[in-house]
């Protein structure tokens, strides 16, 4: 499925059949806008594509799971999911969009899905979360399709085994069908004998049975045409469940492959804190053209996420941080907006360790600060830690200050800390139950995102996250978005004064 060399051997397209639309695009390897992912990719895939396709899809699925955690309405979830698909190259155009690279975009979608299968098949909990997110993505795409002909052709290709109810059967059970109709549209069409019905085993539509929206006869559910989406969703979920179990059985064969196991390990942790993008390396050169040591206190007070605010406050209180705290905070400052230059970083840390002699600071701390900037040792350009790295690596002990407060603080301590940090920015005790509920369910980045919304209520509404529905996945993302919003507010205020 993968290789280090860039080569691909596309399979020949199948012969076209059906209406003119399919014949027009019979050259496509992926003839349909939607996919049940029944067949895995068989061409060679580079390791880079292996990872990038999966990361793009994981960012979309992660935002879907965040939407569930935040109780967003279905309309909000659809809007956010479609926007995330567009942002991360997973928008699937209709087959009539002949100017688009249809095979290319559908191939990325196909590859990303199967890579994530490998990552999320390894436990029952991961499989459950993956199926729920994938099911939701499929439903969003299915409901967003506007080309009825293409949708029908896709359904025909699935061979779902449903049986059309005959005219004779419709007449015989007409009264029962009218009684079972719940929606006004289905009721009126059924009364007029214009609605089409399909017979399927009742076990395939448990949700419709639970809602009493179908007629049952001899173990078969009679599903109106306008309710067949339920069959599609149930079939998608059933097939994906079975496929993940089969993948889990085959996965041990990959244990000896040191190239992809680390990638899969990293992907499987993606639901915990989302997947950070460019923020990990943002402005890591640290030219210092914007942030200076004297500005840090003000930025911390107004723009820091809880993890960095805690480190900053502890540093100011104790005039010291232990190793992992200095590492987490130092790399954050290095990448903060346009970066804290090495000269400003040394000045900041020297002033912060004010109860220490110069000789001790130079001997024990100066080297490590320069090392984090790639100026000592192996001279690596270290990136700032993402939420995922902070949550999962270097777990803090009782006397440490690093880590994520939402995960590593006791509930009582977390509530007190949040009020201390953000009460001046609008957070109240009335906001805490909602935040603590998401923390209890393990959605730590969702809790952080909600705090951002509350403290930036003049710029974003509930559900908008840091903008466009996006959740916090990196501390530097948090502070950058916060400062951008402050700058826009200042421009508006100036325009009002000038006006």
């Amino acid at each position: 499925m993968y290789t280090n060399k860039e080569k691909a051997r596309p399979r020949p397209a199948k012969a076209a059949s059906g209406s003119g639309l399919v014949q027009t695009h019979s050259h496509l390897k992926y003839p349909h806008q939607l996919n049940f992912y029944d067949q895995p990719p068989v061409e060679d895939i580079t390791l880079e594509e292996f990872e990038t396709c999966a990361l793009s899809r994981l960012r979309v699925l992660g935002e879907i799971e965040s939407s569930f955690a935040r109780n967003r309405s279905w309309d909000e979830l659809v809007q956010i999911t479609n926007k995330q698909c567009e942002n991360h190259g997973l928008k699937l155009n209709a087959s009539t969009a002949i100017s688009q690279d249809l095979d290319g975009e559908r191939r990325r979608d196909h590859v990303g899905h199967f890579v994530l299968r490998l990552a999320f098949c390894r436990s029952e909990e991961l499989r459950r979360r993956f199926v729920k997110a994938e099911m939701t993505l499929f439903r969003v795409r299915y409901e967003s399709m506007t080309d009825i002909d293409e949708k029908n052709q896709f359904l025909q290709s699935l061979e779902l085994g449903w049986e059309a109810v005959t005219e004779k059967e419709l007449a015989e059970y007409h009264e029962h069908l009218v009684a079972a109709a719940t929606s006004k549209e289905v009721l009126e069409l059924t009364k007029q004998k214009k609605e089409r019905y399909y017979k399927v085993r009742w076990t395939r539509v448990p949700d419709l049975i639970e809602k009493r929206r179908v007629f049952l006869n001899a173990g078969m559910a009679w599903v109106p045409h306008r309710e067949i989406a339920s069959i599609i969703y149930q079939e998608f979920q059933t097939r994906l469940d079975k496929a993940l179990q089969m993948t889990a059985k085959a996965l041990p064969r990959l244990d000896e492959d040191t190239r992809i196991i680390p990638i899969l390990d990293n992907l499987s942790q993606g639901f915990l804190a989302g997947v950070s993008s460019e923020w990990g390396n943002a402005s890591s050169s640290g030219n210092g053209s914007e942030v200076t040591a004297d500005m840090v206190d003000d930025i911390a007070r107004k723009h820091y996420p809880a993890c960095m605010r805690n480190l900053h406050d502890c540093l100011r209180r104790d005039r010291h941080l232990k190793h992992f705290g200095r590492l987490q905070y130092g790399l954050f400052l290095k990448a903060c907006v346009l970066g804290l230059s090495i000269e400003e970083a040394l000045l900041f840390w020297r002033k912060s360790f004010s109860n220490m002699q110069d000789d001790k600071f130079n001997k024990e701390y100066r080297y490590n600060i320069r090392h984090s900037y790639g100026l000592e040792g192996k001279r690596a350009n270290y990136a700032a830690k993402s939420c995922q790295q902070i949550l999962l690596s270097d777990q803090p002990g009782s006397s440490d200050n690093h880590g994520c407060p939402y995960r590593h603080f006791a509930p009582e301590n977390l509530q007190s800390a949040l009020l201390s940090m953000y009460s001046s920015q609008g957070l109240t005790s009335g906001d805490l139950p909602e935040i603590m509920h998401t923390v209890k369910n393990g959605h730590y980045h969702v809790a952080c995102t909600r705090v951002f919304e509350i403290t930036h209520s003049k710029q974003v509404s509930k559900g908008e996250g840091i903008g466009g529905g996006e959740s916090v996945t990196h501390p530097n993302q948090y502070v950058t978005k916060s400062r951008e919003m402050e700058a826009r507010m200042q421009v508006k205020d100036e325009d009002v004064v000038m006006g």
Side-chain angles (χ1 to χ4, degrees), residues 73 80 107 116 121 146 155-156 193 197 201 210 215 254 297 303 363 388 408 459:
S73 68
I80 289 170
R107 180 178 183 275
L116 291 187
C121 72
T146 56
L155 297 180
Q156 292 171 11
K193 299 183 179 181
Y197 280 82
R201 292 293 302 174
E210 180 184 8
F215 168 58
L254 299 176
D297 282 333
H303 304 294
K363 289 179 180 179
Q388 183 172 308
H408 299 124
Q459 295 93 352

Side-chain angles (χ1 to χ4, degrees), residues 53-244:
C53 288
L55 284 172
S56 295
R57 192 177 194 88
L58 184 56
R59 290 184 180 113
V60 175
L61 298 185
E63 203 58 59
I64 288 174
E65 185 165 84
S66 294
S67 294
F68 286 128
R70 306 181 69 186
N71 295 317
R72 284 172 172 151
S73 68
W74 176 251
D75 289 340
E76 290 174 328
L77 188 149
V78 170
Q79 181 181 2
I80 289 170
T81 301
N82 285 329
K83 185 168 184 177
Q84 291 298 314
C85 284
E86 189 170 354
N87 291 343
H88 299 298
L90 284 177
K91 179 182 178 182
L92 300 181
N93 290 285
S95 296
T96 51
I98 57 177
S99 62
Q100 303 293 326
D101 180 15
L102 298 178
D103 263 339
E105 64 188 29
R106 294 173 187 181
R107 180 178 183 275
R108 288 192 298 273
D109 175 78
H110 193 215
V111 170
H113 171 87
F114 273 91
V115 174
L116 291 187
R117 273 195 195 182
L118 295 174
F120 287 93
C121 72
R122 295 184 284 180
S123 74
E124 183 176 349
E125 172 66 12
L126 287 175
R127 289 195 293 269
R128 181 189 64 78
R129 297 170 71 175
F130 179 67
V131 169
K132 184 178 181 180
E134 280 283 348
M135 172 71 181
T136 304
L137 176 60
F138 178 85
R139 181 183 171 189
V140 168
R141 288 172 166 176
Y142 182 86
E143 293 186 358
S144 300
M145 285 186 70
T146 56
D147 193 316
I148 303 302
D149 288 337
E150 184 170 5
K151 182 180 287 189
N152 288 335
Q153 289 158 14
F154 168 70
L155 297 180
Q156 292 171 11
S157 72
L158 297 177
E159 299 179 356
L160 295 177
W162 54 38
E163 179 184 348
V165 177
T166 65
E167 293 291 337
K168 181 179 179 181
E169 290 173 320
L170 287 174
E172 182 179 355
Y173 293 97
H174 181 257
E175 292 184 4
H176 296 284
L177 294 174
V178 170
T182 54
S183 71
K184 291 183 179 180
E185 186 178 16
V186 172
L187 178 60
E188 290 302 318
L189 289 172
T190 302
K191 285 181 178 179
Q192 300 171 21
K193 299 183 179 181
K194 294 182 179 180
E195 177 67 310
R196 290 174 290 166
Y197 280 82
Y198 302 89
K199 291 189 287 187
V200 299
R201 292 293 302 174
W202 69 271
T203 53
R204 295 177 60 181
V205 286
D207 57 328
L208 294 182
I209 293 174
E210 180 184 8
K211 298 174 183 176
R212 300 176 180 268
R213 298 173 72 171
V214 293
F215 168 58
L216 293 177
N217 182 40
M220 304 295 286
W222 293 27
V223 183
H225 179 74
R226 280 156 183 77
E227 298 283 3
I228 61 173
S230 179
I231 304 176
I232 310 303
Y233 304 149
Q234 183 67 29
E235 186 69 17
F236 181 90
Q237 179 175 336
T238 300
R239 293 190 188 185
L240 183 54
D241 274 326
K242 292 180 179 178
L244 284 170

Side-chain angles (χ1 to χ4, degrees), residues 30 33 73 88 96 106 134 190 274 280 321 330 334 360 364 461:
Y30 298 94
Q33 184 178 357
S73 68
H88 299 298
T96 51
R106 294 173 187 181
E134 280 283 348
T190 302
L321 285 177
K334 172 188 169 187
K360 181 177 177 63
E364 299 183 16
S461 302

Side-chain angles (χ1 to χ4, degrees), residues 151-438:
K151 182 180 287 189
N152 288 335
Q153 289 158 14
F154 168 70
L155 297 180
Q156 292 171 11
S157 72
L158 297 177
E159 299 179 356
L160 295 177
W162 54 38
E163 179 184 348
V165 177
T166 65
E167 293 291 337
K168 181 179 179 181
E169 290 173 320
L170 287 174
E172 182 179 355
Y173 293 97
H174 181 257
E175 292 184 4
H176 296 284
L177 294 174
V178 170
T182 54
S183 71
K184 291 183 179 180
E185 186 178 16
V186 172
L187 178 60
E188 290 302 318
L189 289 172
T190 302
K191 285 181 178 179
Q192 300 171 21
K193 299 183 179 181
K194 294 182 179 180
E195 177 67 310
R196 290 174 290 166
Y197 280 82
Y198 302 89
K199 291 189 287 187
V200 299
R201 292 293 302 174
W202 69 271
T203 53
R204 295 177 60 181
V205 286
D207 57 328
L208 294 182
I209 293 174
E210 180 184 8
K211 298 174 183 176
R212 300 176 180 268
R213 298 173 72 171
V214 293
F215 168 58
L216 293 177
N217 182 40
M220 304 295 286
W222 293 27
V223 183
H225 179 74
R226 280 156 183 77
E227 298 283 3
I228 61 173
S230 179
I231 304 176
I232 310 303
Y233 304 149
Q234 183 67 29
E235 186 69 17
F236 181 90
Q237 179 175 336
T238 300
R239 293 190 188 185
L240 183 54
D241 274 326
K242 292 180 179 178
L244 284 170
Q245 293 173 15
M246 293 178 62
T247 306
K249 293 178 181 178
L251 191 64
R253 302 175 189 174
L254 299 176
D255 285 347
E256 297 180 359
D257 195 319
T258 57
R259 293 175 295 174
I260 68 170
I261 290 300
I263 297 175
L264 297 180
D265 289 339
N266 183 62
L267 291 171
S268 65
Q269 298 165 354
F271 276 150
L272 183 63
V275 183
S276 59
S277 52
E278 74 277 6
W279 303 102
N281 295 308
S283 307
S284 58
S285 60
N287 56 29
S289 59
E290 184 167 341
V291 178
T292 65
D294 293 335
M295 297 169 59
V296 173
D297 282 333
D298 185 60
I299 295 174
R301 180 175 54 84
K302 296 189 294 184
H303 304 294
Y304 272 17
C307 55
M308 298 305 165
R309 180 67 181 269
N310 177 59
L311 285 170
H312 184 81
D313 291 347
C314 290
L315 177 61
R316 286 291 179 254
R317 181 193 66 204
D318 302 332
R319 300 181 183 181
H320 188 265
L321 285 177
K322 298 178 72 173
H323 172 72
F324 287 116
R326 296 196 305 274
L327 180 63
Q328 181 176 319
Y329 192 30
L331 293 176
F332 166 81
L333 289 172
K334 172 188 169 187
C336 185
V337 192
L338 293 182
L340 196 68
S341 70
I342 182 59
E343 293 80 10
E344 291 293 328
L346 289 169
L347 179 61
F348 169 80
W349 288 106
R350 182 65 194 95
K351 287 183 176 180
S352 299
F353 290 2
S354 57
N355 59 349
M356 185 181 298
Q357 297 295 323
D358 285 342
D359 287 346
K360 181 177 177 63
F361 178 84
N362 290 332
K363 289 179 180 179
E364 299 183 16
Y365 299 99
R366 185 182 182 89
Y367 176 89
N368 287 335
I369 296 170
R370 288 177 53 81
H371 186 274
S372 67
Y373 276 74
L375 300 176
E376 301 288 355
K378 63 180 181 180
R379 299 182 182 274
N381 188 18
Y382 297 97
K385 291 182 179 292
S386 66
C387 293
Q388 183 172 308
Q389 292 171 312
I390 291 171
L391 284 164
L392 298 175
S393 63
D394 305 324
Q395 297 299 296
S398 58
S399 61
D400 289 317
N401 303 120
H402 67 281
C404 172
Y406 298 101
R407 184 179 190 186
H408 299 124
F409 278 23
E412 297 79 10
N413 294 340
L414 174 59
Q415 294 181 73
S416 298
L418 291 176
L419 289 174
S420 175
M421 293 173 186
Y422 299 114
S423 58
S424 62
Q425 294 174 262
L427 185 79
T428 68
S429 57
D431 298 313
L432 294 179
E434 178 186 2
I435 295 169
M436 298 308 297
H437 176 72
T438 58

